[in-house]
Amino acid sequence: MPLTIINSIASWILKQRIHQIELFIKYPMEVQEELLFGLLKSAENTVLGKKYDYSTIKNYQTFNKRIPVSTYEELEPYIEQTRQGAQNIFWNSTIKYFAKSSGTTNAKSKFIPVSAEALENNHYKASKDLLCMYLNNNENSQLFTGKSLRLGGSKELYENNNTFFGDLSAILIDNMPMWAEFSSTPSNKTSLMSNWETKLPAIIKESSLENVTSLAGVPSWMMVLLNKTLEENKKTNILEIWPNVEVYFHGGVSFEPYKEQYKNLFPKDDFKYYEIYNASEGFFALQDRNNSNELLLMLDYGIFYEFIPMDTFGKDNQKVIPLSDVQINKNYALVITSNSGLWRYLIGDTIRFTSINPFRIKVTGRTKHHINVFGEELMVENTDTALAKTCKTLQCEIVDYTVAPIFMKGKEKGGHEWLIEFKKHPTSTAAFSELLDKNLQQVNSDYEAKRFNNMTLNPLVLNVARENLFYDWLKKKDKLGGQHKIPRLSNLRDYLEELKEM
């Protein structure tokens, strides 16, 4: 069958989902409420279901009062029981897979349960929806006439007591239908290679000869792969290698600091960028419009959403609210109840709503990755935006960065210390620091107030990192490739000091 016909059929099939998406956009509260009580019904006879008497929970208020918000550490004993072979602990169907995740900073690994329902009705459903949205917005797309270059995590699955653990991408690949592998590059075998430095040339060798029409992966690591691909093929931009490539699906870290570099890699006006928001715990939101930086919160993926306003987070007056109570432009910590048995689980991400009709969001950072030592409430979204704006003005490019507070000593005022690795250096680091500081004040009024007349905060301090510093740091921690990322903001100086000593 000709590829153009396959492309037309696949596009038609995927776009049948649009009506269901329109339904949850029109009736968001009803969809979420029905979903919550469906989850409670499914798990009422589990160990946790009996402990909290799920069967008698008839409204959200009771759910909110009766079941505590939990961190991974608080759920870990139940998860460990299941990893050792016990079932029906927190979810009624058999939990066979666990996504191993150490997050951005934790040395201790987390094992996130992944049920069959989550695989089918969350992760795979989201992947199809992403294509559905893209094709619905781009009628002339030729996506399925070529292959998707995917850059996932590494390591194969490992067995333990008849359960399996590994990177989420390894679990997804292990359960992927055959047609999905046929339309992807590199092969499953190469995708699951555990050594990043061996895997990288293998991906380039396999994929360079393919007709790649789309790419998917984390911006920081995809950038490494694409630059290496150009070097190996002796080309100046990616279109010289893959002339039919039309879209890059990205997530994992903010795209903002890398946007200009990608424009150089894909120098054509109609090239598209689509963002996704997913984690080991689930797939939550995706870009539903061309040229947008907002993500549609997906309300029928087996996940019930709740939110903690960041101005109460971790305090005695902490409150948890449902979707119906959220406000635009406030930062919230995300709490999920999922079809993998994560009950009121605090995943560690912060988001803000840009719209409530429909519910669209932007990911703003991590609950642990912000700086609020001096009341400045600096989020990763702020630093990414200010940095991107500064780089664009001064025509320089970054590889990565991290920021830590400079604590007050005696009569000395505090400040922020930046460590940035540049791909293309500014002509003047002093000018860069000054402009970056001004841009931070523009995007964050709390930072601006603390910087006014150097009242609380002195001007930021900039350190230029040596070449490959962040790469070497991640390699030392066995965190090359995949979803691994640099902790960009911290209220402590641990990461910064460790990096400066390398």
Side-chain angles (χ1 to χ4, degrees):
M1 188 183 294
L3 289 175
T4 50
I5 296 177
I6 293 172
N7 186 75
S8 299
I9 294 170
S11 299
W12 182 84
I13 292 170
L14 285 164
K15 283 192 281 188
Q16 301 312 298
R17 163 77 170 141
I18 288 293
H19 174 67
Q20 293 172 308
I21 294 171
E22 289 171 345
L23 205 62
F24 77 64
I25 287 174
K26 189 174 182 180
Y27 302 105
M29 308 314 167
E30 292 84 348
V31 168
Q32 276 282 282
E33 184 176 283
E34 183 181 349
L35 195 153
L36 172 62
F37 293 114
L39 293 172
L40 288 165
K41 180 68 178 173
S42 294
E44 63 183 21
N45 292 318
T46 62
V47 171
L48 277 187
K50 291 175 180 176
K51 179 179 178 179
Y52 293 110
D53 199 8
Y54 287 0
S55 63
T56 64
I57 296 176
K58 303 301 180 186
N59 54 54
Y60 173 72
Q61 289 72 23
T62 306
F63 175 78
N64 192 1
K65 289 176 183 176
R66 189 178 297 178
I67 303 173
V69 172
S70 300
T71 62
Y72 178 81
E73 288 69 28
E74 289 161 330
L75 291 178
E76 186 179 29
Y78 300 109
I79 292 172
E80 275 306 300
Q81 285 182 55
T82 306
R83 285 191 66 225
Q84 298 309 315
Q87 294 293 342
N88 209 44
I89 304 295
F90 45 81
W91 190 242
N92 62 318
S93 69
T94 301
I95 303 287
K96 182 180 176 182
Y97 294 100
F98 294 84
K100 185 180 178 184
S101 167
S102 58
T104 309
T105 57
N106 293 345
K108 186 177 181 182
S109 293
K110 296 178 181 179
F111 293 89
I112 306 299
V114 181
S115 67
E117 292 88 343
L119 277 174
E120 192 60 39
N121 298 319
N122 183 273
H123 294 288
Y124 290 139
K125 187 175 182 178
S127 298
K128 288 182 279 190
D129 280 356
L130 181 62
L131 296 174
C132 165
M133 297 286 197
Y134 175 75
L135 293 167
N136 193 56
N137 294 332
N138 300 280
E139 293 289 338
N140 297 320
S141 169
Q142 296 298 305
L143 206 62
F144 293 104
T145 60
K147 293 192 175 185
S148 175
L149 171 57
R150 60 186 179 188
L151 184 60
S154 304
K155 301 184 178 67
E156 295 186 38
L157 292 172
Y158 302 94
E159 187 174 357
N160 180 35
N161 294 311
N162 205 33
T163 61
F164 301 84
F165 66 90
D167 285 0
L168 175 65
S169 55
I171 294 171
L172 295 177
I173 287 171
D174 193 57
N175 290 276
M176 197 175 280
M178 254 175 67
W179 65 264
E181 182 179 2
F182 174 75
S183 63
S184 302
T185 185
S187 63
N188 288 358
K189 182 180 178 182
T190 300
S191 291
L192 293 172
M193 289 173 70
S194 58
N195 186 303
W196 168 257
E197 291 176 324
T198 308
K199 177 177 175 175
L200 192 63
I203 293 174
I204 295 168
K205 185 178 180 181
E206 271 191 46
S207 302
S208 291
L209 298 175
E210 297 284 0
N211 175 28
V212 171
T213 52
S214 67
L215 305 99
V218 176
S220 50
W221 292 113
M222 183 63 80
M223 180 66 67
V224 174
L225 171 65
L226 295 179
N227 283 325
K228 192 69 178 173
T229 302
L230 289 178
E231 186 183 312
E232 290 292 319
N233 287 277
K234 295 181 173 58
K235 303 293 183 183
T236 57
N237 71 67
I238 296 300
L239 300 180
E240 295 174 8
I241 303 169
W242 300 308
N244 298 317
V245 67
E246 58 182 77
V247 60
Y248 170 36
F249 301 109
H250 60 87
V253 299
S254 170
F255 189 59
E256 202 65 33
Y258 304 102
K259 188 186 292 183
E260 294 303 313
Q261 296 182 58
Y262 274 93
K263 284 182 181 178
N264 293 330
L265 289 172
F266 300 98
K268 66 176 180 178
D269 293 337
D270 59 347
F271 188 81
K272 302 292 190 300
Y273 300 93
Y274 265 63
E275 185 175 353
I276 62 173
Y277 172 31
N278 67 328
S280 298
E281 293 87 351
F283 206 121
F284 311 122
L286 52 86
Q287 183 179 326
D288 64 318
R289 299 174 297 175
N290 285 340
N291 307 314
S292 173
N293 59 2
E294 301 172 13
L295 309 180
L296 182 68
L297 189 65
M298 304 303 284
L299 303 180
D300 65 347
Y301 280 1
I303 294 177
F304 180 75
Y305 298 101
E306 295 175 276
F307 310 89
I308 302 174
M310 283 302 288
D311 53 9
T312 71
F313 181 78
K315 298 176 182 176
D316 293 338
N317 66 334
Q318 175 175 295
K319 61 179 180 178
V320 187
I321 62 173
L323 188 64
S324 56
D325 292 349
V326 300
Q327 297 174 24
I328 291 175
N329 290 329
K330 282 192 71 171
N331 272 308
Y332 296 101
L334 184 60
V335 177
I336 64 166
T337 293
S338 79
N339 53 4
S340 277
L342 295 172
W343 293 93
R344 305 197 84 196
Y345 179 79
L346 189 66
I347 70 167
D349 288 340
T350 61
I351 60 104
R352 67 176 173 85
F353 285 87
T354 57
S355 163
I356 56 173
N357 185 25
F359 287 97
R360 289 198 177 97
I361 65 169
K362 289 190 75 173
V363 182
T364 56
R366 301 278 294 169
T367 53
K368 292 181 179 178
H369 293 180
H370 65 283
I371 301 180
N372 194 31
V373 174
F374 312 103
E376 66 273 55
E377 288 285 0
L378 198 68
M379 307 294 291
V380 173
E381 182 189 28
N382 303 147
T383 53
D384 280 345
T385 301
L387 190 56
K389 192 175 179 181
T390 306
C391 285
K392 187 173 183 179
T393 302
L394 299 180
Q395 297 185 319
C396 48
E397 298 173 354
I398 72 149
V399 176
D400 225 318
Y401 74 96
T402 192
V403 192
I406 300 169
F407 294 106
M408 295 178 176
K409 290 181 182 177
K411 293 183 179 180
E412 291 181 28
K413 293 170 184 172
H416 292 169
E417 185 172 356
W418 286 65
L419 181 63
I420 303 176
E421 182 181 339
F422 289 97
K423 181 186 173 189
K424 182 180 178 184
H425 288 254
T427 53
S428 166
T429 53
F432 186 94
S433 299
E434 186 179 344
L435 184 57
L436 177 58
D437 195 69
K438 285 179 181 175
N439 286 332
L440 281 168
Q441 293 179 54
Q442 284 183 0
V443 298
N444 185 312
S445 57
D446 291 317
Y447 181 81
E448 182 183 33
K450 301 301 181 291
R451 282 283 297 114
F452 182 70
N453 289 334
N454 297 346
M455 190 179 296
T456 306
L457 293 176
N458 281 326
L460 66 85
V461 174
L462 173 62
N463 296 302
V464 177
R466 65 167 173 80
E467 188 178 356
N468 293 327
L469 173 64
F470 290 107
Y471 184 96
D472 292 343
W473 187 75
L474 287 168
K475 183 178 179 179
K476 179 182 174 184
K477 295 181 177 295
D478 192 27
K479 288 191 173 189
L480 289 179
Q483 295 286 328
H484 299 305
K485 62 203 82 164
I486 298 295
R488 288 185 166 168
L489 301 183
S490 175
N491 274 323
L492 301 172
R493 292 184 57 83
D494 302 24
Y495 308 122
L496 185 74
E497 296 294 352
E498 189 178 341
L499 281 156
K500 285 170 71 176
E501 287 174 9
M502 284 186 66

